[in-house]
Amino acid sequence: MLVIVYVIVLGIGTREYLVSRSRGTLEWISGCQASAAACSNTGMETTGSSDDSLFWTRHAKMTEVVAQLNPEDPDTDFLLGMQALSEGDVEESIYRLEEALEVDPKHNNYLLQYYAQYELSRGADWRRVNRAVNRWRINHPFSADPLTIPLGAGPATPQDENEMYEALEAIPWVAGSQLESFILEDQPRWQISLVFQPGETVDVREAIEAVTLLSLPPNDRQRFRVRCSTLVDCTMVPR
């Protein structure tokens, strides 16, 4: 019974940890995904990170107990991965997440969502990203958690913003989108958070195409569109 209580407490803490980290941008990876508009530097290093680390420091013993009693449980690897991430050990964190995914867990929304975001953030092959996102969405079709795509540059005008939203709304699996701006290292940054239509197959390249529309001159957007064969190889083609 005590172990169950530990897992519940750590589960609640993990959710708050992931929610708090989703309000900012990770410093894991850098580099642009598509043209000047999308940049694969998504992540979660936020102003609340010190509080997050304090939470995991206080509950390290709980995590150790769970790991000793349930070493083969994928949720144990997930908790250890989140603790490693809070301590700045990204390599160990991802190792733990991938260990958890080896047994194909379907019940852990946060594990599947977080790994999908990680694959997108690190600029993985588009097939790996789509596989991770669709695994999450198939098992948790009604999850309201978003997927975040950073922008290399924000909309220059209200028209740019409106046209980007229109392009995103035309994607069948996108239920909604929200442009967010923030300051990182004294520089303005932008990102798009996407929520999903249940039951639709996701191809993240379609979202990259929509946000990369901003790289086209406004006068060309009615005659041309962006086509992406990967998350980084995008070209302008006639409509």
Side-chain angles (χ1 to χ4, degrees):
M1 179 63 71
L2 185 58
V3 173
I4 295 174
V5 173
Y6 281 177
V7 172
I8 291 173
V9 170
L10 290 172
I12 294 172
T14 299
R15 183 185 187 283
E16 295 304 314
Y17 179 57
L18 293 178
V19 168
S20 70
R21 290 176 71 86
S22 68
R23 299 191 188 107
T25 297
L26 270 182
E27 297 176 351
W28 290 0
I29 311 112
S30 62
C32 286
Q33 282 189 29
S35 185
C39 191
S40 60
N41 191 26
T42 305
M44 305 162 191
E45 180 66 30
T46 68
T47 56
S49 60
S50 60
D51 292 337
D52 299 330
S53 297
L54 181 60
F55 172 88
W56 289 105
T57 299
R58 288 175 174 172
H59 295 85
K61 291 295 183 183
M62 286 189 185
T63 307
E64 290 177 12
V65 170
V66 173
Q68 290 172 4
L69 295 177
N70 297 283
E72 304 301 324
D73 193 305
D75 288 340
T76 299
D77 278 314
F78 177 58
L79 292 173
L80 291 172
M82 291 300 95
Q83 181 168 333
L85 183 61
S86 75
E87 295 168 352
D89 191 343
V90 175
E91 184 176 344
E92 174 68 13
S93 174
I94 297 307
Y95 168 77
R96 289 292 183 178
L97 294 185
E98 291 181 340
E99 283 287 296
L101 290 166
E102 281 293 318
V103 298
D104 193 26
K106 296 179 170 61
H107 65 284
N108 193 327
N109 173 67
Y110 305 116
L111 167 60
L112 299 180
Q113 186 270 345
Y114 191 80
Y115 192 76
Q117 182 69 71
Y118 165 72
E119 288 285 76
L120 174 61
S121 299
R122 75 180 184 89
D125 181 84
W126 65 272
R127 287 162 289 222
R128 285 183 60 97
V129 175
N130 282 349
R131 185 161 56 247
V133 174
N134 283 294
R135 174 172 53 189
W136 165 42
R137 300 309 308 172
I138 288 170
N139 288 293
H140 300 275
F142 299 106
S143 171
D145 293 318
L147 192 73
T148 303
I149 299 177
L151 305 181
T157 66
Q159 178 184 349
D160 283 352
E161 185 172 346
N162 290 337
E163 290 182 357
M164 182 180 63
Y165 278 131
E166 289 175 1
L168 288 167
E169 289 170 2
I171 300 173
W173 52 266
V174 174
S177 57
Q178 180 63 51
L179 178 67
E180 300 165 350
S181 62
F182 56 96
I183 301 296
L184 181 65
E185 297 178 347
D186 298 324
Q187 296 296 321
R189 303 291 178 91
W190 296 266
Q191 62 187 23
I192 283 284
S193 289
L194 303 176
V195 291
F196 297 82
Q197 291 282 6
E200 296 286 347
T201 299
V202 176
D203 187 341
V204 176
R205 292 177 300 174
E206 294 175 312
I208 299 298
E209 291 170 354
V211 298
T212 306
L213 181 72
L214 298 184
S215 66
L216 300 183
N219 292 337
D220 288 339
R221 294 173 191 169
Q222 296 300 317
R223 297 184 297 117
F224 297 95
R225 58 166 298 172
V226 175
R227 284 287 191 186
C228 296
S229 58
T230 69
L231 298 185
V232 295
D233 295 325
C234 299
T235 58
M236 184 173 66
V237 298
R239 289 187 180 274

